[in-house]
Amino acid sequence: MSSHIVGYPRMGPKRELKFALESFWDKKSSAEDLQKVAAELRSSIWKQMADAGIKYIPSNTFSYYDQVLDATSMLGAVPPRYGWNGGEIGFDTYFSMARGNASVPAMEMTKWFDTNYHFIVPELGPDVNFSYASHKAVDEYKEAKALGVDTVPVLVGPVSYLLLSKPAKGVEKTFSLLSLLPKILPIYKEVICELKAAGASWIQFDEPTLVLDLDSHQLQAFTAAYADLASTLSGSNVLIETYFADLTAEAYKTLIGLQGVTAFGLDLVRGTQTVDLIKSNFPEGKYLFAGVVDGRNIWANDLASSLSTLQELESGVGKDKLVVSTSCSLLHTAVDLVNETKLDGEIKSWLAFAAQKVVEVNALAKALAGQKDEAFFSANAAAQASRKSSPRVTNEAVQKAAAALKGSDHRRATDVSARLDAQQKKLKLPILPTTTIGSFPQTLELRRVRREFKANKISEDAYVKAIKEEIKKVVELQEELDIDVLRNDMVEYFGEQLSGFAFTVNGWVQSYGSRCVKPPIIYGDVSRPKPMTVFWSSTAQSMTQRPMKGMLTGPVTILNWSFVRNDQPRFETCYQIALAIKDEVEDLEKAGINVIQIDEAALREGLPLRKSEHAFYLKWAVHSFRITNCGVQDTTQIHTHMCYSNFNDIIHSIIDMDADVITIENSRSDEKLLSVFREGVKYGAGIGPGVYDIHSPRIPSTEEIADRINKMLAVLETNILWVNPDCGLKTRKYPEVKPALSNMVAAAKLLRTQLASAK
């Protein structure tokens, strides 16, 4: 009976690691305090898996920030700006790379494949002097062993590490990162030798880039890397783990042909064609780690269906060579359903978080070995049946409205340049108008008020009064800073007012570092029973003469940031959300809100990993956005915002969204975004590439921001450029926010003066 878990969430069931990290960063606790919390979390995870009966338990999937940054540390690939002088990498250097420090910026952060997790991008070049500089993988293996748990150490595979890297600043963009393979493999060999010496009988290499569109040169790098490692790995069992999509036939052929490899881990949830590849050709005597339990969603597994898939595979792979696994690391799902005290029983019976998925994996492994837990399987079958037939899932009116969308492309009647003229007559903004993107910092007082209101400790009147006072403060601050277009900050996640959604108390998932998000669960058809943000937006607008943005999240982002129902295509759910947001947009306009921001921060993050699937996704995603605002007047200005992304390959879809103004993360990705405009793409709508990085505590000077704006003016027309931070300010503190925004406004004014005198 064989069971395996690819990886496990690190934050802890109640975000224990988040609070320990932030306390350490704020100098309120010591490195020892942080290490103690981390050790307790690791120990409890290993024990939990051992107690559940899991045979192949992972180690080194814990991280203080990010697993790719851990690999960078292991390889000693520290960019020179951090002043590291060799030796074992400690917290100072590690967290400086992750977060920046007072004198140097952080390394770039970007999406991990098509998830909402972010990794720290390695910066490499021909001159990097690699050395074995972090013994974390070996230390954690030994730590588990001392607790009586024999684990499978997990390493980011050498080829994926290089394919996920970027050329460092000053290195030719055409530099072949794969040419560094001979330089990093000796360090991998040192790690392997130490793991073997410590007693590791299995080693897992995560090579998720195998699911991407790779050319023959890139595929050849896998063959070469594992051929080179084969003699060092000899005597160990080697698992190559892939996840998030199907492998192409060529990639599959490369994978199963790798030298010295014992086992292959494949995602059978998102990899819908992979089963056919396995059936047609699986190498004799090798292990298949079959990822049948979804690591990226929170629905209980359909155990009967998974068992039948496993039984089909068993005949080709061999009974003793089939291992039941998760589709990917459980990092991307919530931690433990036990901590959900407020979800109602019916919905709860449909769900499984990481801790429950561990139990599902083991139940499937036992069933496969002829020890089926009949009671567990029949309870699961009853929950599956209840979800299919529940009246809470289906709303016929919503299904009809969504079906009626076919046949129109929902564009606004006038083109964007005419709309911008009409809006300018109404809004009378200066050139280079300033605005902010997302929430202002959440003060302790504000958090207390929200907490007490949710716990029924204060009345609704007291809550509304407190929130109005907070709005007034934020409006006054923005006026004092002389920002041109203001934002109202107090709308808590308005999805809580959409039907078809459920919300958790502790369903936190790591986004990056200590930052966690709590995705809503979309379990049924989506509609908007009543206005959600109109009261608060009108309240905020009544406090100022300046334009006040209505703030909404767009349908594609709501979809991509939620745990989405898996019983209908994603685009159908997205169209339903778009119709709900459309109702809200039109109500905001009626209430006198002239600028409405509909964030599509996560539009690109939902882009399928395969290029062949891009066009279909972008078509329905962009269409969903247009549905939300196709009914507004020309004088209503529609903004949208997008986060971390490489936009250059989807710029035409972004233009097709037809927003009046788009603000885009730009400062941390080295202004890659601007290169698309240098290459001649014409963009006629308003655009605000972020002028400073809000993810770092660093406060940029007026000169630095002015210099950034000048770079933008070199490729963008003066009359369309907006000045704004990269993203929301929620994660920063007011002593950082005020001077940064003050410098941003000063930079915009400085350039207005310069532009006026140049005329």
Side-chain angles (χ1 to χ4, degrees), residues 713-733:
L713 288 169
V715 289
L716 294 165
E717 296 294 325
T718 314
N719 63 338
I720 64 168
L721 188 64
W722 283 64
V723 175
N724 44 264
D726 256 348
C727 223
L729 306 164
K730 195 175 183 175
T731 59
R732 301 270 58 89
K733 297 182 172 65

Side-chain angles (χ1 to χ4, degrees), residues 377-395:
F377 268 71
S378 61
N380 174 268
Q384 299 291 324
S386 113
R387 191 176 153 213
K388 280 194 182 82
S389 60
S390 172
R392 305 166 71 166
V393 171
T394 312
N395 178 331

Side-chain angles (χ1 to χ4, degrees), residues 275-395:
V275 171
D276 296 335
L277 286 171
I278 297 165
K279 283 183 188 166
S280 66
N281 177 20
F282 192 78
E284 205 177 329
K286 303 285 186 184
Y287 288 82
L288 170 64
F289 281 57
V292 289
V293 172
D294 191 350
R296 285 182 59 173
N297 218 325
I298 42 61
W299 303 109
N301 188 274
D302 182 340
L303 295 177
S305 166
S306 293
L307 186 58
S308 101
T309 301
L310 290 163
Q311 285 164 338
E312 271 178 58
L313 291 168
E314 201 175 41
S315 55
V317 174
K319 205 171 181 63
D320 60 333
K321 297 289 188 235
L322 185 60
V323 178
V324 181
S325 185
T326 53
S327 65
C328 61
S329 171
L330 299 175
L331 174 70
H332 308 288
T333 191
V335 182
D336 195 342
L337 198 52
V338 165
N339 298 314
E340 295 309 321
T341 47
K342 295 193 178 165
L343 273 178
D344 76 75
E346 185 182 30
I347 290 177
K348 206 168 169 177
S349 75
W350 303 340
L351 307 178
F353 290 1
Q356 288 67 47
K357 289 175 188 289
V358 169
V359 174
E360 289 179 338
V361 166
N362 196 59
L364 285 165
K366 282 173 76 171
L368 204 56
Q371 303 160 29
K372 188 174 176 189
D373 181 337
E374 293 295 348
F376 189 74
F377 268 71
S378 61
N380 174 268
Q384 299 291 324
S386 113
R387 191 176 153 213
K388 280 194 182 82
S389 60
S390 172
R392 305 166 71 166
V393 171
T394 312
N395 178 331

Side-chain angles (χ1 to χ4, degrees), residues 628-640:
T628 64
N629 61 85
C630 63
V632 301
Q633 297 169 22
D634 287 357
T635 48
T636 298
Q637 190 167 78
I638 299 293
H639 286 227
T640 190

Side-chain angles (χ1 to χ4, degrees), residues 426-727:
K426 190 166 191 174
L427 298 171
K428 300 180 175 59
L429 297 170
I431 59 162
L432 307 179
T434 54
T435 190
T436 63
I437 305 299
S439 313
F440 277 79
Q442 302 237 355
T443 59
L444 290 171
E445 175 62 14
L446 178 62
R447 286 191 173 140
R448 182 188 64 75
V449 166
R450 286 192 166 150
R451 213 170 36 241
E452 290 185 355
F453 179 57
K454 277 187 178 158
N456 296 321
K457 287 182 181 169
I458 56 170
S459 68
E460 187 166 358
D461 286 351
Y463 173 72
V464 169
K465 183 168 177 276
I467 296 292
K468 278 184 176 172
E469 280 168 16
E470 188 64 30
I471 291 177
K472 192 162 183 284
K473 274 188 218 159
V474 174
V475 169
E476 283 170 358
L477 170 66
Q478 292 174 86
E479 289 193 324
E480 183 193 316
L481 289 163
D482 207 12
I483 290 170
D484 300 305
V485 176
L486 313 191
R487 56 158 293 140
N488 151 41
D489 218 53
M490 292 307 119
V491 181
E492 271 207 278
Y493 189 80
F494 59 80
E496 298 192 17
Q497 302 171 63
L498 290 169
S499 58
F501 278 69
F503 291 82
T504 63
V505 179
N506 279 298
W508 296 98
V509 180
Q510 185 181 12
S511 173
Y512 65 86
S514 69
R515 175 115 165 102
C516 300
V517 291
K518 201 165 49 165
I521 296 167
I522 306 177
Y523 65 84
D525 290 335
V526 177
S527 62
R528 183 202 73 144
K530 61 180 196 296
M532 304 179 287
T533 65
V534 176
F535 170 75
W536 292 116
S537 290
S538 308
T539 301
Q541 183 63 79
S542 70
M543 295 176 182
T544 180
Q545 294 301 303
R546 301 184 187 213
M548 172 64 68
K549 288 195 279 199
M551 301 296 300
L552 301 171
T553 308
V556 188
T557 295
I558 290 178
L559 184 87
N560 286 337
W561 283 356
S562 299
F563 288 124
V564 182
R565 58 191 290 192
N566 56 359
D567 58 348
Q568 69 177 18
R570 286 173 75 86
F571 67 85
E572 287 185 18
T573 304
C574 199
Y575 284 149
Q576 293 179 0
I577 304 168
L579 287 169
I581 303 296
K582 180 177 190 282
D583 291 345
E584 186 71 9
V585 167
E586 289 167 12
D587 280 347
L588 281 167
E589 185 184 57
K590 281 182 202 135
I593 304 298
N594 296 316
V595 181
I596 302 168
Q597 182 171 314
I598 308 166
D599 285 341
E600 282 296 12
L603 182 113
R604 195 186 190 287
E605 139 187 340
L607 200 63
L609 297 173
R610 279 284 144 66
K611 286 199 175 71
S612 59
E613 296 165 26
H614 285 192
F616 177 65
Y617 167 77
L618 288 167
K619 188 177 175 205
W620 63 255
V622 168
H623 187 188
S624 297
F625 177 80
R626 286 201 308 263
I627 288 166
T628 64
N629 61 85
C630 63
V632 301
Q633 297 169 22
D634 287 357
T635 48
T636 298
Q637 190 167 78
I638 299 293
H639 286 227
T640 190
H641 171 67
M642 297 190 166
C643 290
Y644 284 117
S645 281
N646 183 359
F647 291 101
N648 302 21
D649 54 351
I650 62 160
I651 192 71
H652 294 289
S653 297
I654 291 174
I655 293 169
D656 201 34
M657 289 168 77
D658 199 27
D660 296 310
V661 178
I662 181 165
T663 54
I664 295 192
E665 185 278 331
N666 172 62
S667 70
R668 198 165 173 175
S669 54
D670 235 14
E671 294 153 6
K672 272 191 293 215
L673 168 74
L674 295 182
S675 65
V676 80
F677 300 111
R678 282 189 204 102
E679 285 153 20
V681 170
K682 288 280 169 271
Y683 192 71
I687 184 163
V691 296
Y692 79 90
D693 176 15
I694 61 89
H695 296 89
S696 168
R698 230 179 118 255
I699 295 160
S701 66
T702 301
E703 296 69 31
E704 187 183 324
I705 296 175
D707 181 48
R708 277 232 158 93
I709 299 170
N710 269 322
K711 279 187 188 158
M712 295 168 191
L713 288 169
V715 289
L716 294 165
E717 296 294 325
T718 314
N719 63 338
I720 64 168
L721 188 64
W722 283 64
V723 175
N724 44 264
D726 256 348
C727 223

